[in-house]
């Protein structure tokens, strides 16, 4: 596996404050840690303060500031308060990562309206509440926002209609806010990762060994992604290294969304043959 951690220069986020929703686990933890190591003050905002302990420990041992904030992104009043407190502590917010989400697998015919609404409330409405509040603060001086989507926002996928609808909305919000807020120097982009390893994903999306193997078999590059390599793309889009990128959705999925028929059975053996193998003769 190659190492993506050379993409950003040391100090890329020096003197900046990054607000990361769900920053205590999985992808959020990888992004928050990387930004802290690159010089940022980090606001870690989610419901469970226990989830922030690992990031707080890393901040203490590695010398970056972490503000642990209890926040349910579904509550606009809480969002307003936490954003205000973050600005009081660090002066401003330069970077927002809308990473918090909830998901589970349920066929649409068995999905209760309450379950559909719960996922939309966190993964779509919550992204709007936080973006709106932070965007109002970024209006003076600009900033960058990176939203976390998923490839099935555009392809669709069985069992996750709730999350697919939320993420499709997030991608529409990404483009709409990018166009509306460019005048304020605010860039808005999204990263759309395929299946990467996190406890949350493993518990909810591929809970059994059999399901894990099934998902793995759908990834042409032959492995799950890592939170760190997806996180590096998130950091790149949030950094000053991509000043002319806005309204973009960057896909990083190991080929998960490519047509799959060509990598099955005999064809797979041909496709995966080493380049040094003798080429087969044409049959006609
Ligand atoms: P994860 O570790 O379960 O992260 C989800 C985070 O969201 C948790 O830290 C959780 O913290 C926070 N959260 C949930 N509900 C919240 C709420 N109401 N208010 C505030 N925070 C809330 O999962 P992950 O795999 O790293 O997922 C991160 C992002 O990547 C998500 O947007 C997900 O949709 C996306 N994604 C993941 C995959 C994958 O294969 N892993 C693929 C495509 C997209 P608390 O419990 O403390 O609130």
């Amino acid at each position: 596996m190659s190492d993506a951690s050379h993409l950003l220069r040391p100090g890329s986020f020096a003197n900046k404050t990054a607000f990361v929703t769900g920053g205590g686990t999985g992808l959020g933890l990888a992004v928050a840690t990387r930004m802290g190591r690159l010089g940022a003050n980090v606001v870690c905002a989610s419901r469970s303060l226990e989830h922030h302990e690992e990031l707080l420990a890393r901040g203490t041992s590695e010398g970056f500031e972490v503000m642990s904030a209890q926040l349910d992104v579904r509550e606009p009043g809480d969002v307003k308060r936490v954003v205000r407190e973050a600005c009081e502590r660090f002066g401003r917010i330069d970077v927002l990562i809308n990473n918090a989400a909830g998901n589970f697998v349920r066929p649409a015919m068995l999905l209760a309206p309450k379950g559909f609404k719960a996922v939309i409330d966190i993964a779509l409405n919550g992204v709007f509440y936080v973006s709106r509040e932070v965007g109002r603060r970024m209006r003076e001086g600009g900033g960058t926002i990176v939203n976390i989507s998923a490839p099935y926002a555009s392809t669709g996928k069985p069992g996750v209609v709730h999350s697919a609808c939320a993420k499709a909305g997030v991608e529409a919000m990404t483009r709409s806010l990018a166009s509306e807020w460019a005048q304020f120097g605010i860039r808005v982009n999204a990263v759309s990762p395929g299946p990467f390893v996190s406890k949350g994903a493993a518990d909810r999306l591929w809970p059994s060994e059999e399901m894990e193997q099934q998902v793995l078999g759908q990834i042409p590059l032959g492995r799950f992604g890592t939170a760190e390599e997806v996180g590096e793309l998130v950091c790149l889009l949030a950094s000053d290294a991509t000043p002319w990128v806005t309204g973009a959705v960057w896909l990083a999925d190991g080929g998960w969304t490519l047509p799959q028929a060509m990598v099955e059975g005999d064809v797979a053996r041909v496709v995966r043959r080493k380049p040094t193998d003798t080429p087969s003769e044409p049959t006609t």
Side-chain angles (χ1 to χ4, degrees):
M1 193 192 315
S2 63
D3 178 11
S5 65
H6 58 280
L7 286 178
L8 285 153
R9 283 198 303 267
S12 292
F13 289 94
N15 304 316
K16 295 198 174 192
T17 298
F19 191 106
V20 185
T21 66
T25 68
L27 177 58
L29 176 61
V31 170
T33 303
R34 183 76 171 124
M35 287 192 177
R37 287 174 180 160
L38 291 168
N41 301 316
V42 182
V43 183
C44 177
S46 79
R47 296 163 305 174
S48 166
L49 293 179
E50 270 175 35
H51 285 162
H52 305 176
E53 284 170 11
E54 175 73 36
L55 181 67
L56 283 163
R58 289 181 190 181
T60 303
S61 66
E62 299 183 35
F64 59 87
E65 289 278 321
V66 177
M67 173 176 160
S68 163
Q70 192 161 36
L71 174 66
D72 187 331
V73 295
R74 292 171 291 190
E75 300 297 335
D78 284 0
V79 170
K80 194 178 181 71
R81 174 186 51 79
V82 170
V83 168
R84 190 188 64 240
E85 288 169 1
C87 290
E88 281 167 5
R89 173 153 169 190
F90 295 120
R92 76 184 311 275
I93 295 169
D94 303 278
V95 173
L96 166 63
I97 310 299
N98 279 309
N99 165 77
N103 196 9
F104 52 90
V105 176
R106 188 71 41 87
M109 289 183 192
L110 302 177
L111 177 65
K114 201 174 150 195
F116 185 87
K117 184 174 180 303
V119 170
I120 297 289
D121 274 349
I122 303 169
L124 176 59
N125 297 344
V127 173
F128 177 67
Y129 301 151
V130 181
S131 300
R132 174 182 179 274
E133 215 50 60
V134 172
R136 289 158 76 115
R137 302 279 180 162
M138 287 178 170
R139 193 186 157 106
E140 300 300 324
T144 55
I145 299 176
V146 181
N147 299 321
I148 308 304
S149 185
Y152 47 63
S154 46
T155 63
K157 192 167 169 54
V160 287
V161 65
H162 37 324
S163 179
C165 289
K167 297 298 193 186
V170 165
E171 292 192 7
M173 199 187 317
T174 300
R175 290 184 280 267
S176 299
L177 296 184
S179 132
E180 190 177 309
W181 291 355
Q183 62 183 314
F184 306 123
I186 303 172
R187 294 189 297 112
V188 188
N189 291 291
V191 167
S192 177
F196 65 86
V197 180
S198 77
K199 188 172 178 318
D203 288 353
R204 290 188 301 268
L205 303 178
W206 51 86
S208 66
E209 174 73 26
E210 189 191 351
M211 286 175 83
E212 184 178 335
Q213 288 307 315
Q214 201 182 359
V215 177
L216 197 55
Q218 297 165 353
I219 306 173
L221 282 182
R223 65 171 176 85
F224 287 94
T226 68
E228 285 71 24
E229 66 192 333
V230 175
E232 195 68 10
L233 291 181
V234 175
C235 292
L236 191 63
L237 272 179
S239 77
D240 294 340
T242 50
W244 214 50
V245 183
T246 197
V249 179
W250 280 6
L251 180 70
D253 72 345
W256 189 50
T257 43
L258 295 173
Q260 299 284 305
M262 286 295 287
V263 291
E264 281 169 7
D266 290 344
V267 181
R269 281 193 286 281
V270 176
V271 171
R272 289 185 178 146
R273 197 171 54 195
K274 288 185 188 139
T276 48
D277 291 352
T278 314
S280 54
E281 294 302 320
T283 50
T284 53

